[in-house]
């Protein structure tokens, strides 16, 4: 690498002085654009200053998030059996994780861009050094040749007495022998040198920025993991406490007029094809919680099947749709979100089906907004009826499944009964009990695990 003593030294000093000047005010709210801009070498001092300002903005953004995380952890530490406080903290945690994941994603993209731009910058620096070296040789050769025409060693003396090319250029600037062409070449050379110094400084800035962002990235990934762990503990405690509240909300008298458009009509007169057995309704994922209780304690009346938002949900048997509604966002769920019907179900479907001559009702809660069926519609086994989601009173992406054994009840009687009251629980309530395995008469609750997974 070429080293310039006097000229480059003064130029670097001038640049250093300019860099400590106050950073100009900018609107940094579009972080994606600014990450892209500042992940590449800047070609002007104003660009360098703007990127310094963005770096300070990011530090403040990170500190604000850290303060929020500290506040959240402090609240978690003082948590007692208070479901409303748990719901508030759970929602806060999801917002913190979303914010953190956004910053992690931005940093990963930025690091990738920086490393690519550093490689390109190294190539440009080498090319610039080669170009400057050629200009050095050309100007020195011209100066040496001129001494033969003027019959004096003035130019050689100037050259030999100079500490550097920059020093030499200053010494001969007043010599009338230098032509206008010489002056033009010297200006071009000085411009090249300034560009080189800026590129070298930008290379150092990008290197330092990449190292800093990598360190922050690892720290934020650790924070995300810790937040997820504390959230899981919060969910466990919530699940222990929520059964009574959930039963009260879901047992409340429903205003049938508000959901009538999503409930099957008593005019349905179709039949249901009997199939030999159920098939797996959620086409991916795995069991995350079973019946009749959560692993950590607390009543749980169905099977939770964890799967990413957008996973296909198919009809486990041929049948007819009793209820289908998608009033909320696909990924809008959080603890304490009682939207949807039944309360907290988010986007829901219930269907009737006939398996080996027995009539069953099967419910799906927490679906995405992509529901492909409507009340009164007949469906075939394996037909996609919806996509899984994270809606309503949900702690993460999953589908909650409940199965009711209606015994020998006729399709027309089942349709009439559901149309009258839209009771997803078929008289079994939401406080447990009335389970088929305990010997209760139909309608009774079945363990979904008996058929799925």
């Amino acid at each position: 690498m070429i080293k310039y003593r006097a000229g480059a030294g003064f130029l670097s000093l001038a640049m250093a002085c300019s860099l400590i000047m106050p950073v100009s005010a900018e609107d940094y709210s579009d972080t994606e654009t600014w990450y892209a801009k500042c992940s590449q070498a800047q070609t002007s001092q104003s660009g360098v200053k703007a990127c310094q300002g963005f770096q300070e903005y990011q530090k403040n953004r990170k500190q604000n998030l850290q303060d929020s995380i500290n506040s959240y952890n402090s609240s978690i530490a003082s948590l007692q059996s208070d479901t409303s406080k748990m719901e508030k903290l759970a929602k806060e945690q999801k917002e913190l994780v979303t914010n953190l994941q956004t910053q992690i994603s931005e940093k990963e993209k930025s690091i990738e861009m920086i490393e690519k731009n550093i490689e390109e910058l190294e190539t440009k620096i080498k090319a610039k050094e080669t170009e400057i070296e050629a200009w050095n040789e050309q100007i020195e050769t011209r100066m040496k040749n001129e001494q033969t025409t003027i019959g004096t060693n003035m130019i050689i003396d100037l050259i030999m007495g100079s500490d550097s090319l920059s020093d030499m250029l200053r010494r001969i600037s007043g010599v009338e022998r230098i032509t206008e062409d010489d002056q033009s070449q010297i200006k071009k050379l000085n411009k090249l040198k300034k560009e080189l110094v800026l590129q070298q400084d930008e290379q150092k800035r990008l290197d330092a920025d990449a190292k800093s962002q990598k360190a922050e990235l690892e720290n934020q990934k650790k924070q995300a993991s810790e937040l997820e762990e504390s959230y899981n503990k919060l969910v466990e405690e919530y699940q222990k406490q929520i059964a009574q509240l959930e039963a009260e909300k879901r047992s409340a008298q429903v205003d049938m007029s508000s959901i009538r458009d999503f409930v099957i009509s008593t005019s349905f007169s179709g039949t249901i094809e009997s199939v030999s057995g159920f098939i797996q309704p959620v086409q991916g994922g795995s069991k995350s919680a079973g019946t009749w209780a959560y692993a950590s304690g607390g009543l749980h009346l169905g099977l939770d099947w964890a799967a990413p938002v957008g996973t296909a949900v198919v009809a486990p048997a041929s049948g007819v749709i009793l209820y289908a509604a998608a009033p909320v966002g696909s990924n809008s769920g959080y603890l304490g979100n009682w939207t949807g019907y039944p309360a907290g179900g988010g986007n829901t479907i219930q269907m009737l089906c006939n398996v080996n001559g027995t009539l069953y009702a099967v419910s799906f809660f927490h679906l995405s907004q992509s529901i492909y069926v409507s009340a009164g519609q007949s469906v075939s086994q394996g037909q996609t009826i919806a996509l899984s989601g994270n809606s309503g009173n949900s702690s993460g992406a999953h589908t909650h499944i409940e199965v009711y054994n209606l015994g020998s009840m006729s399709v027309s009687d089942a349709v009439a009964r559901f149309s009258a009251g839209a009771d997803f629980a078929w008289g079994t309530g939401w406080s447990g009990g009335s389970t088929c395995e305990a010997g209760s008469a139909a309608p009774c609750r079945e363990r979904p695990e008996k058929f799925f997974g």
Side-chain angles (χ1 to χ4, degrees):
M1 181 176 285
I2 301 170
K3 294 182 179 179
Y4 301 97
R5 293 186 293 275
F10 287 124
L11 184 57
S12 297
L13 178 61
M15 288 181 66
C17 292
S18 68
L19 293 181
I20 61 175
M21 294 175 64
V23 177
S24 58
E26 297 277 359
D27 179 7
Y28 296 116
S29 57
D30 187 355
T31 55
E32 184 175 353
T33 297
W34 279 99
Y35 262 119
K37 173 180 173 63
C38 296
S39 295
Q40 56 187 328
Q42 301 303 301
T43 57
S44 67
Q45 289 302 317
S46 61
V48 172
K49 290 179 182 179
C51 286
Q52 286 180 314
F54 179 61
Q55 188 175 43
E56 188 63 29
Y57 171 84
Q58 287 299 90
K59 287 181 180 178
N60 292 336
R61 188 172 170 225
K62 176 188 172 185
Q63 185 58 51
N64 289 338
L65 178 59
Q66 183 61 60
D67 291 343
S68 296
I69 291 174
N70 291 342
S71 175
Y72 168 80
N73 288 334
S74 177
S75 297
I76 283 286
S78 63
L79 182 65
Q80 294 180 343
S81 300
D82 183 342
T83 55
S84 61
K85 184 176 182 180
M86 293 178 196
E87 292 167 356
K88 178 178 179 294
L89 288 174
K91 187 174 182 180
E92 180 182 334
Q93 188 270 357
K94 285 300 182 185
E95 292 171 352
L96 288 174
V97 169
T98 298
N99 192 337
L100 193 55
Q101 292 293 354
T102 296
Q103 293 193 26
I104 287 173
S105 178
E106 289 173 346
K107 279 186 173 58
E108 288 175 335
K109 291 179 182 177
S110 176
I111 290 169
E112 184 178 350
M113 286 190 290
I114 287 175
E115 291 177 342
K116 178 182 178 182
N117 288 324
I118 286 176
E119 292 179 4
E120 294 177 355
L121 189 57
E122 288 175 346
T123 301
K124 290 180 181 179
I125 287 174
K126 290 178 181 177
K128 188 77 70 179
E129 289 174 340
T130 301
E131 187 177 3
I132 290 175
E133 183 65 37
W135 277 93
N136 280 341
E137 293 178 0
Q138 180 180 337
I139 293 176
E140 286 188 11
T141 299
R142 291 183 59 169
M143 294 301 175
K144 290 177 182 179
N145 290 340
E146 285 192 355
Q147 65 87 24
T148 59
T149 61
I150 62 176
T152 176
N153 288 331
M154 182 195 328
I155 303 301
I156 295 297
D157 290 340
L158 283 170
I159 294 173
M160 299 304 294
S162 301
D163 293 331
S164 66
L165 178 59
S166 297
D167 186 29
M168 177 197 74
L169 294 177
R170 286 196 297 274
R171 291 189 183 199
I172 64 177
S173 63
V175 180
E176 294 180 358
R177 191 71 183 83
I178 298 178
T179 65
E180 290 183 3
D181 185 53
D182 293 327
Q183 294 280 11
S184 176
Q185 290 187 36
I186 291 169
K187 287 179 181 179
K188 290 179 181 179
L189 178 59
N190 280 330
K191 181 181 178 183
L192 289 175
K193 289 169 62 181
K194 289 179 180 179
E195 291 174 353
L196 175 63
V197 172
L198 179 58
Q199 287 179 338
Q200 290 171 331
D201 286 347
E202 279 298 277
Q203 183 185 38
K204 293 177 183 177
R205 179 185 71 81
L206 291 175
D207 277 331
D209 197 15
K211 291 178 181 177
S212 174
Q213 289 198 38
K214 286 179 181 178
E216 289 181 6
L217 181 62
E218 290 305 310
N219 181 56
Q220 288 185 322
K221 286 182 177 179
K222 181 181 178 182
Q223 282 181 318
S225 177
E226 291 172 349
L227 276 174
E228 190 65 27
E229 183 178 347
S230 65
Y231 178 73
N232 289 338
K233 292 178 180 178
L234 175 62
V235 170
E236 287 183 5
E237 186 61 31
Y238 182 80
Q239 289 168 345
K240 293 177 185 178
Q241 306 294 331
I242 196 60
Q244 183 177 350
L245 176 61
E246 186 173 63
E248 290 173 355
K249 286 185 175 291
R250 291 186 176 175
S251 298
Q253 183 67 36
V254 61
D255 176 8
M256 285 299 296
S257 64
S258 67
I259 62 170
R260 176 53 66 188
D261 290 343
F262 310 106
V263 179
I264 193 169
S265 169
T266 54
S267 63
F268 177 80
S269 58
T271 59
I272 296 178
E273 174 194 5
S274 179
V275 296
S276 60
F278 286 110
I279 63 172
Q280 182 70 25
V282 185
Q283 303 293 288
S286 60
K287 173 184 171 181
S288 57
T291 49
W292 303 111
Y294 291 104
S296 58
L299 180 65
H300 188 229
L301 298 177
L303 168 67
D304 282 350
W305 199 265
V309 174
T311 303
V313 178
V314 304
S318 297
V320 62
I321 303 301
L322 295 175
Y323 182 93
V328 296
S330 298
N331 194 24
S332 60
Y334 55 86
L335 298 190
N337 180 349
W338 295 102
T339 56
Y341 179 78
N347 304 315
T348 59
I349 290 176
Q350 186 171 98
M351 64 176 291
L352 277 181
C353 48
N354 187 327
V355 179
N356 290 322
T358 299
L359 199 64
Y360 291 92
V362 183
S363 301
F364 302 96
F365 294 0
H366 312 306
L367 300 169
S368 76
Q369 275 197 313
S370 297
I371 288 182
Y372 304 128
V373 293
S374 58
Q377 178 180 340
S378 294
V379 295
S380 301
Q381 186 175 52
Q383 177 181 336
T384 300
I385 58 175
L387 300 181
S388 66
N390 174 35
S391 59
N393 189 27
S394 170
S395 60
H398 76 288
T399 299
H400 175 88
I401 306 167
E402 295 182 7
V403 178
Y404 299 85
N405 186 325
L406 307 184
S408 59
M409 187 183 300
S410 68
V411 172
S412 58
D413 284 348
V415 168
R417 176 169 174 169
F418 188 84
S419 179
D423 180 11
F424 267 60
W426 294 89
T428 66
W430 299 98
S431 300
S434 298
T435 64
C436 302
E437 67 180 6
S440 297
C444 57
R445 288 180 179 272
E446 295 272 21
R447 283 185 182 270
E449 298 95 316
K450 177 179 176 181
F451 310 106
F452 312 131

